[in-house]
Amino acid sequence: EEIIGGLGDNKTIKDIAKKHGVSEEHISKQLEMGIKVEMEHTNDKSKSREIALDHLMESPDYYTKLEKMEESFEDREKK
């Protein structure tokens, strides 16, 4: 716990999967994606993990949705 507060505080992959009714494997894959994304904002892997868990508490597909949104913006910029 490096960042005070947050939806993912003291939550495990299992807790988040259960909350959203998805598999632990699904959350694990999203968490891997999330850690990579959040490393753009910090050099600390544990902080990026904590931020990713917070986002996954909001939505079990947070990082897939983010990826699609970014691709959509890139497509618009090419036009």
Side-chain angles (χ1 to χ4, degrees), residues 33-49 51:
M33 291 172 67
I35 290 170
K36 289 178 186 174
V37 168
E38 302 307 338
M39 286 298 289
E40 295 172 7
H41 307 290
T42 180
N43 292 327
D44 187 325
K45 192 170 183 174
S46 64
K47 283 183 183 176
S48 67
R49 185 180 196 281
I51 294 166

Side-chain angles (χ1 to χ4, degrees), residues 4 7 21 47 62 66 79:
I4 306 297
L7 297 173
K47 283 183 183 176
Y62 186 93
L66 180 63
K79 291 181 180 180

Side-chain angles (χ1 to χ4, degrees), residues 18-41:
K18 185 176 179 181
K19 176 187 189 303
H20 294 295
V22 298
S23 70
E24 290 178 42
E25 181 181 353
H26 176 82
I27 297 300
S28 292
K29 287 180 181 179
Q30 289 289 304
L31 182 58
E32 284 180 36
M33 291 172 67
I35 290 170
K36 289 178 186 174
V37 168
E38 302 307 338
M39 286 298 289
E40 295 172 7
H41 307 290

Side-chain angles (χ1 to χ4, degrees), residues 5-17:
L7 297 173
D9 285 0
N10 302 312
K11 300 293 187 221
T12 64
I13 290 171
K14 185 176 184 173
D15 294 335
I16 297 170

